Amino acid sequence: MQSADVIGSGFSDKPKLNYLTNGTTLKSWLLTKDHKRIAILYLISVSVFFLMGGVYAATIRLELLTPASDLLETGTYNKVFTQHGILMIFFFLIPSIPAVLGNFLLPIMIGAKDLALPRINLLSLYLYWLGGALALYGLMQGGVDTGWTFYTPYSTTFSNSYVLAVGVGIFINGFSSILTGLNFIVTIHTMRAPGMTWFRLPLFVWAMYAVSLVMILGTPVVAITVLLVAIERVARVGIFDPAIGGDPILFQHMFWFYSHPAVYIMVLPGMGVVSELISNFSRKKIFGYEFIAFSSIAIAVFGFLVWGHHMFVSGQSIYASMVFSFLTMVVAIPSAIKMFNWTATLYKGSIDFSTPMLYGLGFMGLFLIGGLTGLYLGAIGLTVHLTDTYYVVSHFHYVMVGGQVVAYLGGLHYWWPKITGKMYSEFWGKTSAMLVFVGFNLTFFPQLILGYMGMPRRYAAYPPEFQVLNIFSTAGASVLGIGMLLPVIYLLHSLVYGKPAGDNPWRLPGLEWRTSSPPPTENFEKMPVVTWEAYEFGEDNGLDLEEDRRRDLAPVA
Amino acid sequence: MEHDHMTIPKYLGVFAVLVVGTILTDYDATIDLDSIFPGANTLVALLIAFTKMACVMLFFMHVYWSPKLIWLAVIASFFWMAIMFAFTMADYFTRAAGVFTT
């Protein structure tokens, strides 16, 4: 039996200011140290970058509607796909879930008033803005045509584009990631509420912990790599250019030492979100909590040991390739553990097909294809045929968009009532989730076939026999685009016209659902004391959730 | 955290070590140590760089007086760097020879 204090954790009957109403001036937002306001500023910023990256994506698909290079010149096409990649990866995919959902929810989910280092949190936002502004400056001045990977010698010797400006922007943006990761690790270690033991942490928090480790250990390497490119371009020091004593493959080693783990920076938080969605919308304790928690750490660790699978045809030694190929197969294990555990959680669950759950289930389907196609690319024989084809493009979009973006949208819908205090239209939410799923598959599945047939990536023109599948892909991109734009409309609409969400609209036991919606500046009126396990739907959670659900579902007289 | 381990003269002393290290690195680049064995110039430059880095980490960053958890974080960072170097070198050192031929 729970004490009254525990049951009432975080609750107060008194009306109070929430984080949105506690200060309304521009200054109160721009100088805020409140993690929730910083998360909202990140939300707006990453959405702008996502929109810009989306415009580039639409341009690419339009160009590829016909075999000839008729919409864009080939040089311009190089810039368009490069800028799509740079904006999406460095300024949307990497920061989105940690900086938006992580920033907003991590302190609340562990029962803390804020992150451990609020000023550092604000600094990381400003660094993100500064890096983004510099990158945009480079793109507007004429853009970059090296591909988002900045491979040497394109980026050092041959490119006359604005590599330096964009590179410095990414360099600065990297520090934003490092500071966010540092903040999360310190917060999780030092600011958990009484009773919130490590194994009572929501799995989203475990995922944030794992991703923070990757951010701290990996990001400095890409920062150094970009700096070395700048040094070689400016001072002609021989690092990557063979003509002056360098080695271009060294760039790929250093770049992928960060950028492969960066894939996990993108997808691990998505896995954390999906763990929340699957368990909570099945109304069932997650199957194999410890396995999912430690598989996040395992992915973070093993993710650092596989970067050479991006370099199988680069001239890397066959011996190194064999080692990297083996380790690539190994890293599939912790991902598979998660998939099996999510599936087992669904088994005999009381599944609620609300919008967030549709996104969660969509993630499982899309990430499954993304993961399995990755095994083909990790096999050193087969990958010779598939490298630099549309198969690779499709594979990483299944992981990054089908995985990360879908999970981000699921998380945004799931926590939107908490963030804003308003409910959105379930009808439009479900419509959007299904359009995204169908549109995504229609866009990227034909690309798997195109790649297998040999269509290379990064060309504006292609042989006419590939056109039909490209038309499918462009048509799918249109559906996907509508699916992505719909949430912008109905979520903004809900801010004004949405019904009040209540503090616990989904009837869930987590700490974030035990404070008001939107939460007060200090998150909880009273310091919560945690006595229940994570995802505890029984009586031990101190809330009568099932009674509330029955009341919700009862017909109104 | 205690800050009185390092006094201004000690800071200046470490700074002097860094300056001398930089001068030695420059000097190393002007003489031919590779005649002793190939790569000797690079090895000496790396040893100097490692010494400078250790001074910064131990004294400027106060790691020398820090709790064991901080030492653990430092060692873990070096371990991570070692992974990067080891796997990269696994490529470079085996590039000339195939797997099934020598």
Side-chain angles (χ1 to χ4, degrees):
Chain A
M1 197 59 194
Q2 310 293 308
S3 71
D5 272 357
V6 172
I7 294 169
S9 289
F11 277 121
S12 168
D13 294 333
K14 286 178 283 185
K16 54 199 172 287
L17 286 174
N18 64 52
Y19 80 99
L20 291 171
T21 52
N22 190 8
T24 51
T25 60
L26 185 63
K27 187 181 165 191
S28 75
W29 278 87
L30 292 180
L31 296 181
T32 184
K33 292 188 287 292
D34 183 345
H35 65 102
K36 299 180 288 300
R37 286 193 163 204
I38 292 171
I40 297 296
L41 294 172
Y42 265 118
L43 171 65
I44 297 165
S45 312
V46 300
S47 301
V48 170
F49 279 110
F50 185 57
L51 195 66
M52 286 192 279
V55 170
Y56 282 118
T59 313
I60 292 167
R61 284 316 320 164
L62 270 179
E63 167 54 54
L64 295 176
L65 194 59
T66 57
S69 163
D70 36 20
L71 180 67
L72 303 171
E73 290 176 3
T74 49
T76 312
Y77 184 78
N78 290 347
K79 290 181 179 175
V80 167
F81 72 68
T82 299
Q83 286 156 202
H84 165 69
I86 288 171
L87 291 178
M88 285 299 200
I89 290 172
F90 294 110
F91 296 100
F92 174 72
L93 288 166
I94 288 177
S96 57
I97 294 184
V100 178
L101 300 177
N103 243 328
F104 195 98
L105 290 149
L106 190 140
I108 304 178
M109 289 173 109
I110 65 169
K113 286 184 175 176
D114 204 320
L115 286 171
L117 310 163
R119 286 186 179 82
I120 295 287
N121 197 21
L122 184 63
L123 175 64
S124 72
L125 172 69
Y126 276 90
L127 286 174
Y128 172 74
W129 280 348
L130 182 62
L134 259 172
L136 284 180
Y137 161 80
L139 301 189
M140 285 189 287
Q141 286 297 307
V144 186
D145 60 359
T146 58
W148 76 273
T149 49
F150 291 97
Y151 270 11
T152 55
Y154 301 137
S155 56
T156 46
T157 308
F158 297 113
S159 175
N160 296 316
S161 57
Y162 283 77
V163 171
L164 266 186
V166 178
V168 173
I170 291 168
F171 178 81
I172 292 172
N173 185 44
F175 285 93
S176 169
S177 280
I178 294 168
L179 294 180
T180 300
L182 182 72
N183 221 337
F184 285 179
I185 288 179
V186 177
T187 305
I188 296 169
H189 270 276
T190 62
M191 295 186 68
R192 283 173 285 125
M196 180 57 89
T197 59
W198 279 90
F199 289 105
R200 283 178 176 165
L201 287 174
L203 288 165
F204 179 72
V205 177
W206 272 100
M208 283 297 129
Y209 188 79
V211 82
S212 300
L213 290 175
V214 183
M215 282 172 168
I216 287 184
L217 290 167
T219 314
V221 178
V222 79
I224 292 163
T225 312
V226 172
L227 193 65
L228 289 175
V229 169
I231 289 171
E232 182 163 293
R233 273 184 79 102
V234 173
R236 301 299 299 152
V237 177
I239 301 163
F240 304 122
D241 182 358
I244 47 177
D247 176 26
I249 307 297
L250 178 63
F251 175 88
Q252 294 188 32
H253 275 297
M254 296 181 74
F255 179 82
W256 287 115
F257 182 80
Y258 163 76
S259 292
H260 188 78
V263 173
Y264 298 108
I265 294 180
M266 298 174 219
V267 83
L268 264 173
M271 291 169 159
V273 170
V274 170
S275 295
E276 297 295 316
L277 298 181
I278 297 293
S279 179
N280 286 324
F281 286 88
S282 300
R283 306 198 72 75
K284 196 174 151 210
K285 196 164 188 160
I286 198 149
F287 185 87
Y289 172 98
E290 288 85 358
F291 277 88
I292 295 187
F294 282 118
S295 66
S296 292
I297 304 295
I299 288 173
V301 172
F302 282 109
F304 271 101
L305 308 178
V306 300
W307 80 83
H309 68 215
H310 295 270
M311 302 165 58
F312 285 154
V313 299
S314 69
Q316 175 178 256
S317 86
I318 187 72
Y319 168 76
S321 293
M322 286 171 73
V323 173
F324 281 122
S325 178
F326 171 74
L327 290 168
T328 301
M329 302 300 162
V330 172
V331 83
I333 295 171
S335 300
I337 286 173
K338 285 183 192 292
M339 287 294 290
F340 286 127
N341 282 316
W342 291 329
T343 310
T345 306
L346 290 170
Y347 180 64
K348 289 190 175 176
S350 173
I351 298 174
D352 176 355
F353 291 100
S354 296
T355 306
M357 185 57 159
L358 290 188
Y359 276 111
L361 294 172
F363 173 98
M364 285 180 68
L366 299 177
F367 182 73
L368 183 71
I369 298 177
L372 290 177
T373 50
L375 294 179
Y376 288 78
L377 292 166
I380 46 178
L382 193 51
T383 203
V384 173
H385 173 69
L386 297 172
T387 294
D388 279 341
T389 67
Y390 258 84
Y391 190 93
V392 179
V393 174
S394 179
H395 155 70
F396 69 70
H397 278 87
Y398 264 98
V399 174
M400 292 180 188
V401 185
Q404 199 275 359
V405 178
V406 167
Y408 172 65
L409 287 171
L412 199 60
H413 284 81
Y414 172 49
W415 283 299
W416 187 259
K418 181 55 60 185
I419 294 170
T420 64
K422 297 292 179 69
M423 285 305 286
Y424 49 85
S425 157
E426 263 297 299
F427 171 77
W428 287 112
K430 286 176 180 171
T431 307
S432 148
M434 286 186 279
L435 282 177
V436 166
F437 185 78
V438 172
F440 180 87
N441 279 302
L442 190 55
T443 308
F444 291 103
F445 204 85
Q447 293 183 12
L448 281 177
I449 305 168
L450 282 167
Y452 194 77
M453 289 164 68
M455 179 171 162
R457 64 192 288 204
R458 295 183 169 172
Y459 284 91
Y462 56 84
E465 58 264 34
F466 293 145
Q467 189 177 12
V468 173
L469 286 168
N470 271 295
I471 290 173
F472 272 117
S473 187
T474 300
S478 313
V479 178
L480 181 60
I482 293 167
M484 296 275 189
L485 279 175
L486 272 179
V488 178
I489 299 166
Y490 64 76
L491 289 179
L492 288 176
H493 179 270
S494 78
L495 290 178
V496 183
Y497 301 105
K499 292 177 189 165
D503 294 343
N504 192 357
W506 310 115
R507 306 300 179 204
L508 298 174
L511 260 184
E512 77 269 35
W513 305 108
R514 295 172 188 244
T515 185
S516 55
S517 303
T521 300
E522 62 279 12
N523 293 340
F524 298 95
E525 289 294 307
K526 288 186 291 184
M527 166 75 85
V529 180
V530 182
T531 59
W532 59 91
E533 303 302 316
Y535 314 106
E536 174 60 63
F537 283 91
E539 291 177 357
D540 289 345
N541 63 34
L543 304 171
D544 201 349
L545 298 171
E546 289 312 309
E547 177 58 32
D548 290 343
R549 272 189 98 202
R550 277 193 289 277
R551 207 180 308 126
D552 293 344
L553 297 171
V556 179
Chain B
M1 178 68 75
E2 294 181 36
H3 292 286
D4 52 0
H5 299 294
M6 286 294 284
T7 56
I8 300 267
K10 285 181 183 172
Y11 275 120
L12 290 174
V14 175
F15 179 66
V17 171
L18 299 181
V19 171
V20 170
T22 307
I23 294 168
L24 282 176
T25 309
D26 183 60
Y27 179 66
D28 173 55
T30 61
I31 57 173
D32 180 21
L33 294 176
D34 280 12
S35 57
I36 304 170
F37 63 89
N41 275 101
T42 308
L43 184 67
V44 169
L46 282 173
L47 284 173
I48 297 168
F50 188 86
T51 309
K52 287 163 67 181
M53 178 274 298
C55 285
V56 170
M57 188 186 67
L58 291 173
F59 304 116
F60 278 0
M61 296 172 75
H62 296 257
V63 169
Y64 188 79
W65 299 279
S66 295
K68 284 178 180 165
L69 184 65
I70 303 294
W71 277 91
L72 184 69
V74 170
I75 292 165
S77 309
F78 276 102
F79 178 70
W80 231 245
M81 196 170 70
I83 288 174
M84 186 174 80
F85 282 8
F87 276 57
T88 304
M89 288 303 151
D91 168 27
Y92 282 102
F93 290 152
T94 58
R95 219 179 259 180
V99 177
F100 304 109
T101 56
T102 53

